[in-house]
Amino acid sequence: MNEQDKSGQEKMGKQIIKASELDPKFKYEITQMHGGEKLLMCFQCGTCTSDCPVARYSDSYRPRQLIRMTQLGLKERILKSETLWLCAACFTCTDRCPQGVKVADVIRILKNLAIKEGYVPPVFKELASSILDNGYAYRIPELRIKKREQIGLPPLPKGNPESLAKILHGIELKKLLEKRGE
Amino acid sequence: MAETQGEIKYLIFLGCAIPYRVSAYELSTRKVMEKLGVKLEEMPEFNCCGVPMDPISHEMMLLLAARNLCMAERKGLNIMALCPGCTGALKKVNTMLKNDKNLREEINKHLKEDGLEFKGTIDVKHLIQVLNEDVGLEKIKTLVKKPLKGIKVAEHNGCHVLRPKEYMGFDDPEDPKILKTLIEVTGAECLDYMDESQCCGAPVAGVNDRIPLQLTKEKLAHIRDVGAQALITICPFCHMMFDTNQIRIERMFNEKFGIPTLHYPQLLGLALGMPPEELGFRELRVKPTELLKQLGFQGS
């Protein structure tokens, strides 16, 4: 398959691993988090990668590899990789893992950590700011809202930004998203 | 507790993608549910189910979902979601918070900031679950006025209505049956095809524009190869991939598919005797002209 992806599609696992890159505590950080508990159970059978729809068409996205790199503690390399964001969260890997590793959850944890380190794909900034502003992940155009009436649909339920701000207090989401060096 | 003497009543949860781009799914659902005697009430307030925020902050996802669950608890009604993504998030968080006391306390601490509390008194279902479990195939069968005999279609469930099995669990993700059965009740034939339960790729569309189109193209090819006249979906995102993007895919790969993609309630609506105009058929990009002609509808 001809890989045309410009970025992050570096072959993460095909580089020399230096001992200084390994963070032996990283795996325990992950097993502490919800969904990451069984990370160490992975014995690298490769069911996840062979059943992954995205891996079929990507030369770089390999869930098995991400799991192994997490076990090894290649933290920096994982978190800055754009490949991480190719997971579709279809949960096929999680459902089929013979060892009960919640592969998609581990990858979600890695994404959350990548955000904390300031690696934020732009699309998430848009989605988050729309949710905080009006409750909906997209900014629904006035025209659409008017059209609802015309075709006999009831008015859309309203968002409540004040309430959202209150309950999300302490998540510091805005700070997370601002870190993107822009 | 949310049902009184056989009356089926739900809070309809639209999500964000449906009001943004996929009104035909909502419109046809409302029409069909009215015909089937299912009462739908609107969410008193709405915020995103949380799914799009899970990659950014799991905690934010939990809170967004939990807030919606609290709204439904206040109303004392179960939620019926149309989008599998919303269904997945709301079901999962509902189960997690019901079962995990520590997590519930942590989330409630946040919710309390706006006087809310998760109590765990309601349930969440997807549209096809409501049709299958509450309305029931027998009742639907008796209301079918115009059996769609001779029509051959294929189905695409979408991942999140089936997986992860731990939280969804109402159908077998390796061999899903419910949507197929619901299609067959209309009188149409539902064909098997290769890699039926494979992802359409939509969730990756925000970060990569090639892989999702390749995945959808592969599915369209399998669907065409078995001779399906239409594809039936129950997810706004899958629908956008198969319908909205189909012409783009045809151009990109220089291949012809011409497979109309219907929201399941549109198909059911036809079988219940409703005309295509009432079911939002005009919104479809790939026009099901031949299919409607075969069923005796002209000029739709």
Side-chain angles (χ1 to χ4, degrees):
Chain A
M1 183 65 50
N2 181 21
E3 184 76 279
Q4 297 157 358
D5 294 0
K6 45 196 182 305
S7 52
Q9 325 311 14
E10 78 275 18
K11 303 249 168 78
M12 287 199 304
K14 301 212 172 146
Q15 297 163 12
I16 294 161
I17 299 171
K18 294 182 195 133
S20 58
E21 275 185 89
L22 305 175
D23 176 353
K25 288 185 192 142
F26 188 54
K27 55 183 176 289
Y28 301 119
E29 220 179 289
I30 308 292
T31 53
Q32 292 295 308
M33 296 193 217
H34 186 86
E37 298 88 346
K38 290 199 174 165
L39 170 68
L40 302 181
M41 296 293 285
C42 170
F43 54 29
Q44 291 286 295
C45 70
T47 302
C48 49
T49 292
S50 57
D51 288 345
C52 173
V54 172
R56 273 197 199 190
Y57 291 109
S58 164
D59 276 351
S60 60
Y61 180 75
R62 301 285 181 266
R64 168 170 63 175
Q65 201 173 77
L66 281 168
I67 296 291
R68 188 65 187 139
M69 288 169 79
T70 309
Q71 289 177 331
L72 287 171
L74 286 162
K75 186 174 172 181
E76 257 316 288
R77 215 189 274 190
I78 299 169
L79 298 189
K80 72 173 190 203
S81 162
E82 288 182 33
T83 295
L84 190 59
W85 298 92
L86 290 179
C87 169
C90 72
F91 296 100
T92 309
C93 50
T94 296
D95 276 356
R96 291 186 185 165
C97 175
Q99 288 292 86
V101 181
K102 295 183 175 177
V103 184
D105 281 28
V106 172
I107 291 167
R108 183 257 306 154
I109 292 170
L110 295 172
K111 287 176 178 170
N112 280 192
L113 292 173
I115 296 275
K116 279 194 181 158
E117 299 291 322
Y119 302 110
V120 187
V123 61
F124 291 103
K125 204 177 171 180
E126 286 162 32
L127 294 167
S129 70
S130 177
I131 292 171
L132 296 177
D133 288 348
N134 65 56
Y136 289 80
Y138 310 107
R139 296 179 196 278
I140 301 168
E142 273 306 309
L143 208 68
R144 270 270 164 190
I145 293 170
K146 278 204 186 116
K147 207 184 149 202
R148 290 181 64 83
E149 262 176 73
Q150 290 164 13
I151 58 175
L153 292 173
L156 273 185
K158 293 251 184 311
N160 186 339
E162 293 79 27
S163 169
L164 277 188
K166 279 184 198 163
I167 65 161
L168 293 173
H169 182 72
I171 307 281
E172 293 188 87
L173 191 82
K174 277 189 179 145
K175 213 173 123 198
L176 285 179
L177 295 170
E178 271 160 17
K179 266 180 143 181
R180 188 168 52 102
E182 266 184 17
Chain B
M1 61 158 285
E3 275 175 41
T4 48
Q5 288 107 40
E7 185 190 51
I8 309 171
K9 196 169 174 184
Y10 277 90
L11 273 178
I12 182 170
F13 193 88
L14 296 174
C16 303
I18 292 171
Y20 183 53
R21 282 211 177 140
V22 200
S23 305
Y25 187 20
E26 179 188 349
L27 184 71
S28 52
T29 298
R30 288 186 190 273
K31 296 272 177 183
V32 161
M33 289 316 225
E34 198 185 330
K35 199 116 205 169
L36 296 173
V38 178
K39 293 227 164 69
L40 298 177
E41 281 202 27
E42 308 307 310
M43 288 290 290
E45 255 179 32
F46 173 88
N47 60 254
C48 165
C49 70
V51 155
M53 291 298 101
D54 206 22
I56 292 186
S57 159
H58 187 55
E59 208 181 357
M60 183 177 180
M61 185 282 279
L62 294 172
L63 285 166
L64 289 173
R67 190 175 180 278
N68 282 314
L69 295 167
C70 289
M71 292 293 144
E73 287 181 358
R74 274 190 177 174
K75 278 278 214 174
L77 284 173
N78 293 327
I79 287 176
M80 178 188 87
L82 305 191
C83 170
C86 302
T87 315
L90 298 174
K91 248 185 205 289
K92 179 176 172 175
V93 175
N94 200 27
T95 310
M96 283 167 77
L97 294 180
K98 278 183 185 179
N99 297 340
D100 184 340
K101 190 167 164 272
N102 292 338
L103 183 68
R104 186 169 65 238
E105 280 169 6
E106 199 188 312
I107 293 297
N108 272 336
K109 238 182 268 167
H110 280 276
L111 293 170
K112 219 178 140 194
E113 297 286 331
D114 194 40
L116 296 165
E117 187 194 355
F118 175 89
K119 296 195 180 80
T121 54
I122 60 130
D123 284 320
V124 179
K125 288 186 184 181
H126 184 268
L127 164 69
I128 63 162
Q129 228 185 328
V130 174
L131 290 171
N132 187 51
E133 295 168 13
D134 299 328
V135 180
L137 296 175
E138 284 312 311
K139 181 167 180 190
I140 300 175
K141 228 179 262 174
T142 59
L143 291 170
V144 168
K145 293 239 169 64
K146 188 180 166 63
L148 311 176
K149 286 274 174 275
I151 300 293
K152 288 178 182 170
V153 301
E155 56 81 26
H156 172 83
N157 266 277
C159 304
H160 299 118
V161 82
L162 303 168
R163 301 185 191 280
K165 200 179 179 187
E166 181 189 359
Y167 293 107
M168 303 312 287
F170 63 86
D171 204 351
D172 179 1
E174 303 298 343
D175 185 19
K177 290 270 192 295
I178 293 176
L179 180 56
K180 271 195 178 154
T181 322
L182 285 169
I183 288 171
E184 275 153 10
V185 168
T186 68
E189 188 184 342
C190 189
L191 304 170
D192 295 331
Y193 66 96
M194 202 168 131
D195 288 335
E196 239 174 77
S197 62
Q198 187 173 290
C199 177
C200 71
V204 191
V207 291
N208 184 297
D209 51 12
R210 184 180 51 83
I211 294 171
L213 295 176
Q214 277 177 314
L215 281 167
T216 300
K217 179 229 154 193
E218 190 181 66
K219 292 212 67 158
L220 283 168
H222 294 326
I223 291 159
R224 177 193 56 196
D225 290 350
V226 296
Q229 293 168 280
L231 176 66
I232 309 301
T233 63
I234 47 170
C235 170
F237 292 98
C238 300
H239 192 271
M240 283 192 256
M241 290 304 295
F242 288 110
D243 183 55
T244 319
N245 284 331
Q246 194 173 133
I247 292 160
R248 194 175 157 205
I249 289 169
E250 288 180 336
R251 239 184 274 131
M252 189 167 162
F253 297 95
N254 198 21
E255 245 184 271
K256 186 83 189 132
F257 297 108
I259 297 168
T261 306
L262 275 54
H263 306 285
Y264 173 71
Q266 290 185 311
L267 185 83
L268 179 58
L270 292 179
L272 296 177
M274 292 176 225
E277 306 84 70
E278 266 183 41
L279 298 163
F281 272 71
R282 221 169 301 159
E283 274 195 36
L284 301 176
R285 291 281 180 87
V286 183
K287 302 292 175 201
T289 318
E290 284 303 312
L291 187 87
L292 291 177
K293 209 185 275 173
Q294 191 179 329
L295 290 169
F297 296 104
Q298 296 295 332
S300 290

